[in-house]
Amino acid sequence: MQCPSCQHTDSRVLESRAADAGRSVRRRRECLNCDFRFTTYERVETVPITVVKRNGSRETFNRSKLLHGLLRACQKTGLEPAHLESVVDDIEIALQQRNLREVSSNEIGELVLQQLREMSEVAYVRFASVYRQFQSVSDFVATLEGLNNRNPTSTANNTRLAAVV
Ligand SMILES: [Zn+2]
């Protein structure tokens, strides 16, 4: 790594540590020629993923946009921003591991729902109402019943959930 001060190409690493939630490594370096100290980041190269939206338009997958949508949908559900960030991390990893470079916005929505379901029923239903764009009351009821099948004791939660959405 070239020294930014004198362009010498040898440096020694003073410190290495994980950054960006483990997705990159931050290294503090010192130039062997002039002792100038600088920082470098090393990260796994990722291939851009194209998201095909419902109307057929395409855009590059944008993790901060997804995180922003999640934060908005999960306000007052008790989920910490750090939890939602880990949801986005997992989805990004899942997308990178597929062979396809295109994904529909519906598929991303379903991936989010799979994760939210384990974290918070309120967040799950609220996010489902946005991403599946409920066509009717029966769609909404079907989602609640999906939750109840998994957790038969939560029937009493229906009223609470309906009030939130
Ligand atoms: Zn130097």
Side-chain angles (χ1 to χ4, degrees):
M1 188 63 70
Q2 200 175 58
C3 168
S5 178
C6 75
Q7 279 73 55
H8 187 70
T9 52
D10 282 327
S11 59
R12 72 187 180 99
V13 175
L14 302 172
E15 182 195 37
S16 292
R17 59 189 162 103
D20 201 13
R23 288 188 300 276
S24 64
V25 176
R26 177 185 188 276
R27 295 191 208 284
R28 193 77 183 135
R29 294 172 179 271
E30 188 177 73
C31 174
L32 293 182
N33 183 49
C34 73
D35 296 340
F36 184 78
R37 290 186 175 189
F38 57 103
T39 303
T40 59
Y41 288 88
E42 182 181 299
R43 62 176 70 235
V44 174
E45 185 179 39
T46 54
V47 183
I49 306 252
T50 301
V51 180
V52 184
K53 300 206 285 188
R54 241 172 238 155
N55 64 11
S57 67
R58 286 168 157 75
E59 63 180 33
T60 304
F61 174 74
N62 179 333
R63 53 170 288 125
S64 54
K65 192 176 166 186
L66 177 59
L67 180 60
H68 189 75
L70 266 173
L71 286 168
R72 208 172 37 206
C74 299
Q75 272 172 6
K76 295 177 187 160
T77 59
L79 285 181
E80 299 285 329
H83 286 143
L84 298 175
E85 219 162 316
S86 76
V87 168
V88 174
D89 286 345
D90 288 348
I91 286 166
E92 194 175 22
I93 290 166
L95 293 178
Q96 287 290 343
Q97 284 171 345
R98 294 163 23 129
N99 290 322
L100 297 169
R101 302 275 52 113
E102 280 195 349
V103 61
S104 70
S105 54
N106 279 342
E107 285 175 89
I108 293 181
E110 294 301 323
L111 287 171
V112 171
L113 287 172
Q114 277 173 24
Q115 303 235 4
L116 289 185
R117 190 181 186 127
E118 303 302 320
M119 295 178 158
S120 158
E121 288 190 355
V122 175
Y124 172 83
V125 173
R126 195 188 284 180
F127 194 79
S129 74
V130 175
Y131 253 77
R132 289 182 177 156
Q133 290 183 344
F134 291 136
Q135 300 297 313
S136 66
V137 172
S138 60
D139 290 346
F140 179 65
V141 172
T143 298
L144 289 176
E145 283 170 351
L147 282 174
N148 288 338
N149 288 341
R150 184 172 143 268
N151 182 3
T153 61
S154 68
T155 311
N157 286 339
N158 281 4
T159 323
R160 183 168 58 83
L161 289 170
V164 168
V165 182

